[in-house]
Amino acid sequence: MKTLLTGNEAIARGAYEYGVSVAAAYPGTPSTEILENIAKYPEIYCQWSPNEKVAMEVGIGAAIAGARTIVTMKHVGVNVAADPLFTAAYTGVRGGLVLVSADDPGMHSSQNEQDNRNYAPFAKIPMLEPSDSQEAKDMVKLALDMSERFDTPVLLRITTRIAHSQSLVELGEPMERAVEPYKKDAKKYVMIPAYARTRRLFIEERDKQLADFSETVEVNRVEMRDPSFGIVTSGVSYQYVREAFPDASVLRLGMTHPLPKEKIADFAEAVDVLFVVEELDPYLEDRIRAMGIEVIGKSILPAYGELSVNLVKKQILAVLGVIGEPGEDASGEAAAASDSDSAEDSGACGCDCACDEAAACATQPGESSRAAEPFDAPIRPPVMCPGCPHRGVFYILRELRLVVSGDIGCYTLGTMAPLEAMDTCICMGASISGALGMEKANPDLARRLVSVIGDSTFLHSGVTGLMDIVYNGGTSTVLILDNSITAMTGHQHNPSTGQTLMGKEAPVVDFVALAKALGVKRVVEVDPLDLDRVKAVLKEEVAAPEPSVIITRRPCALIVKNTEKALECVGCKGCKACLRIGCPALSFDKATRKVVVNSALCTGCGLCAQLCMFDALRKAGE
């Protein structure tokens, strides 16, 4: 059965037919109606989030938990969501993840024009562009399939005319809505530098595979007719071209990143003159020109506003000599020809050295030629400091086998051995909203799911995530690890420390009052060095079927003057139980088969003593 649908309605229909389980968005014209129509399908959990970043993080969490997910926003919203988006390109997905960006050429209801096609190569994710409502629906399926096949978010870019115009759409039956079983994979979903470097190489290989896919995917098709001139186009511009020149040869690109370079080159070879018709930036034109192919685009068509059938026809016919010169009023700001090569800004080798010949330089492009000579040094993996108040929390999280949605800060080190107590880490503030997405995708995770975030990071962008949990009925537990400073970057003050950068006293944010103001009824404060209490509170709050906040309070071990005696180990049985907490002040002497305490490092926090079944660890002299 066929029916008239707008592009937004068709995307919602595609989400319904092709197995989407979670949808999130912040409203913004021209994308708003997508979620409003998805809400008509009760099979799909959908929500408004406090902003686009939170919506993107909810979507990422849902995809990691195994659900097919769609996130929608207008073009400027992608600016807000860019932080989690760029890292999601590294982590990849478990269930398919589609981001719909609705651009607004002509600024019908926007504060600026921006061409979000540029986000696809910038974020290193593939991009699709539908030309009508049928394709808008079909490309939801293609995007979900590509996302899962290539392990990447996929950008589905539409414009106002596609979002709000109606065309016929063939309706289908919905497929089964399945969620992949959850499985922890920290090296894929916790983006600490060591793991991210591996994923960076994966992205390069993925780009190559996507480029090959772009050559054969059906949405990139040649419509060969009159070879006297050909037009490369995409999105709604394809409709203008077909109406203006029904007999012209057309290369219609539905997948516009990566581009099918061989297909474009073959098409250019088959026609006498090549045009590019596209709205806003010379996105296609610049890339085709970079391939060494002569093409006419923004020299006759404006780089701003919307195109139209008449404008496209008038300008191309003028170039072809049918009706005279191109109209000055339509030429806009012609794209400035730029033959400058970025390589000219550096040495011939591409690095920052002064080499005249690339062959003479041993420095890899992008590396500094002034790097120190390599030397042998013992490997020292990053660990929490001795006496860090976060260490015991992660020890308990691992002991309870909880699923931990982590964040950016010192506590990210909780992912390293021997603690290994973190499942995900995307960007600042994503721990809370990501956990909400995981819970909505897989409700079975709810009673063993926690978010972990620091005081500074919570104020950076965690507040909106907690607001989202309360607003949208989440039940997970949020741990705010308050060490009274922005520790990892070197002890900078923040609104919770009571002091400004210039040393003036400032009001202190009350985390308890803030959490309650957001609607959280269960707020508990606990000393993170009291492991029994931390464990009991965690078990109680995770079991509660409502949102809760646990605030652990202890200042960073590096900003307080330590007055505690160091511990000593007497009567050690060699069981190594204390080593499971990962304190660098403890080591194991293989000769004596006993634990040794480095008194120069030990702060006397006593965490290790709480793990010793033989009371072998005690304050020195006691």
Side-chain angles (χ1 to χ4, degrees):
M1 183 183 76
K2 288 188 176 182
T3 187
L4 276 173
L5 295 178
T6 66
N8 284 346
E9 291 170 333
I11 290 172
R13 180 72 190 187
Y16 168 66
E17 290 187 13
Y18 303 125
V20 167
S21 295
V22 176
Y26 183 81
T29 304
S31 68
T32 305
E33 298 84 1
I34 300 174
L35 260 285
E36 289 180 336
N37 280 279
I38 287 179
K40 297 175 183 176
Y41 303 108
E43 297 87 348
I44 303 175
Y45 169 78
C46 59
Q47 68 164 63
W48 296 127
S49 293
N51 61 42
E52 293 87 350
K53 177 179 181 291
V54 173
M56 191 73 227
E57 291 161 352
V58 169
I60 293 169
I64 291 175
R68 284 193 157 191
T69 304
I70 192 167
V71 181
T72 72
M73 57 194 67
K74 68 179 297 175
H75 61 289
V76 290
V78 181
N79 304 337
V80 182
D83 193 6
L85 172 64
F86 276 57
T87 304
Y90 279 60
T91 64
V93 301
R94 184 172 282 114
L97 175 60
V98 179
L99 168 61
V100 180
S101 169
D103 294 9
D104 189 21
M107 293 176 280
H108 296 280
S109 56
S110 303
Q111 64 272 45
N112 71 6
E113 269 185 342
Q114 64 183 49
D115 193 330
N116 276 10
R117 291 180 298 174
N118 295 300
Y119 266 110
F122 192 16
K124 302 184 183 302
I125 59 175
M127 173 170 57
L128 301 175
E129 288 189 78
S131 294
D132 57 29
S133 296
Q134 180 68 59
E135 283 195 341
K137 193 197 82 164
D138 294 344
M139 284 188 178
V140 171
K141 179 180 188 304
L142 178 59
L144 289 166
D145 291 346
M146 287 172 56
S147 177
E148 292 168 355
R149 175 178 172 182
F150 295 102
D151 194 13
T152 177
V154 175
L155 180 62
L156 180 62
R157 188 253 189 179
I158 61 174
T159 55
T160 303
R161 297 296 172 185
I162 296 296
H164 290 165
S165 297
Q166 288 186 319
S167 60
L168 285 173
V169 176
E170 181 76 40
L171 303 185
E173 293 298 318
M175 61 183 288
E176 182 181 358
R177 224 165 295 279
V179 176
E180 294 290 322
Y182 181 74
K183 182 180 179 182
K184 180 175 180 175
D185 188 350
K187 290 186 177 180
K188 186 171 186 291
Y189 297 117
V190 178
M191 283 302 96
I192 58 174
Y195 298 162
R197 292 188 192 106
T198 301
R199 296 297 294 179
R200 182 67 184 85
L201 300 178
F202 163 79
I203 289 174
E204 288 302 305
E205 181 58 33
R206 183 179 69 194
D207 273 355
K208 294 176 184 175
Q209 295 174 10
L210 284 164
D212 292 341
F213 180 74
S214 186
E215 298 286 353
T216 59
V217 66
E218 291 183 357
V219 295
N220 290 338
R221 67 171 183 266
V222 174
E223 300 171 2
M224 204 65 202
R225 302 182 185 90
D226 178 5
S228 62
F229 71 97
I231 302 172
V232 180
T233 188
S234 67
V236 72
S237 298
Y238 169 75
Q239 303 295 349
Y240 303 148
V241 167
R242 290 292 293 122
E243 189 169 342
F245 300 103
D247 296 324
S249 295
V250 176
L251 172 54
R252 204 300 301 267
L253 298 176
M255 182 175 176
T256 45
H257 183 74
L259 288 174
K261 292 184 177 179
E262 290 183 16
K263 184 165 284 187
I264 292 172
D266 291 345
F267 181 71
E269 187 71 23
V271 297
D272 297 336
V273 181
L274 187 64
F275 295 91
V276 168
V277 176
E278 57 185 331
E279 289 181 330
L280 301 183
D281 292 350
Y283 173 86
L284 297 174
E285 180 183 346
D286 284 353
R287 285 158 177 78
I288 293 172
R289 201 180 297 279
M291 295 165 59
I293 297 173
E294 287 296 321
V295 63
I296 301 170
K298 292 304 174 186
S299 61
I300 62 169
L301 294 169
Y304 53 83
E306 293 184 299
L307 300 181
S308 68
V309 176
N310 289 339
L311 178 61
V312 170
K313 188 171 186 177
K314 175 185 174 184
Q315 297 303 103
I316 290 181
L317 286 178
V319 172
L320 296 174
V322 177
I323 60 172
E325 296 297 321
E328 293 182 357
D329 60 331
S331 61
E333 298 175 0
S338 175
D339 297 325
S340 63
D341 187 339
S342 60
E344 293 177 357
D345 295 334
S346 56
C349 55
C351 73
D352 62 351
C353 71
C355 296
D356 294 328
E357 297 181 8
C361 180
T363 306
Q364 294 298 313
E367 290 184 350
S368 170
S369 61
R370 292 176 285 277
E373 290 293 325
F375 61 95
D376 291 331
I379 297 175
R380 295 186 177 90
V383 296
M384 295 176 187
C385 302
C388 176
H390 303 333
R391 177 174 283 107
V393 175
F394 281 97
Y395 175 82
I396 296 299
L397 289 172
R398 186 187 184 199
E399 188 175 77
L400 295 177
R401 299 182 181 276
L402 295 175
V403 177
V404 178
S405 180
D407 222 293
I408 303 289
C410 295
Y411 37 89
T412 314
L413 297 172
T415 194
M416 306 300 292
L419 298 172
E420 298 178 319
M422 191 173 286
D423 288 59
T424 66
C425 180
I426 304 296
C427 68
M428 300 273 285
S431 59
I432 302 175
S433 36
L436 178 62
M438 296 175 79
E439 178 182 354
K440 296 300 182 183
N442 189 343
D444 291 341
L445 293 176
R447 298 282 63 80
R448 56 189 183 101
L449 180 62
V450 298
S451 309
V452 178
I453 192 169
D455 51 325
S456 181
T457 312
F458 179 70
L459 296 174
H460 174 283
S461 52
V463 177
T464 45
L466 182 58
M467 185 190 307
D468 201 19
I469 283 183
V470 175
Y471 172 55
N472 283 301
T475 64
S476 60
T477 296
V478 176
L479 280 85
I480 301 175
L481 307 187
D482 181 6
N483 62 359
S484 306
I485 202 71
T486 309
M488 198 165 208
T489 49
H491 295 154
Q492 290 75 37
H493 285 282
N494 64 61
S496 73
T497 65
Q499 190 171 326
T500 69
L501 176 60
M502 299 180 71
K504 295 181 179 178
E505 289 189 1
V508 177
V509 171
D510 184 334
F511 287 123
V512 174
L514 177 56
K516 290 185 175 179
L518 293 173
V520 180
K521 298 177 181 175
R522 303 178 67 95
V523 183
V524 184
E525 297 179 87
V526 63
D527 181 352
L529 298 188
D530 185 345
L531 294 186
D532 288 341
R533 174 68 176 152
V534 170
K535 186 175 183 179
V537 169
L538 265 171
K539 291 174 72 173
E540 183 175 348
E541 296 307 314
V542 169
E546 62 178 295
S548 62
V549 171
I550 301 172
I551 302 168
T552 69
R553 292 194 191 280
R554 274 274 177 176
C556 172
L558 299 183
I559 62 171
V560 293
K561 185 177 181 180
N562 183 36
T563 58
E564 299 290 333
K565 293 180 180 178
L567 271 66
E568 60 182 5
C569 189
V570 179
C572 176
K573 304 296 184 184
C575 70
K576 302 182 183 178
C578 57
L579 299 181
R580 290 202 294 268
I581 208 160
C583 179
L586 302 179
S587 60
F588 189 74
D589 188 328
K590 293 182 179 178
T592 62
R593 300 197 59 78
K594 297 182 185 302
V595 167
V596 177
V597 179
N598 185 335
S599 59
L601 293 178
C602 180
T603 66
C605 71
L607 283 177
C608 57
Q610 297 177 57
L611 306 184
C612 182
M613 297 179 291
F614 307 102
D615 295 326
L617 289 158
R618 66 196 67 163
K619 293 286 177 68
E622 292 183 357

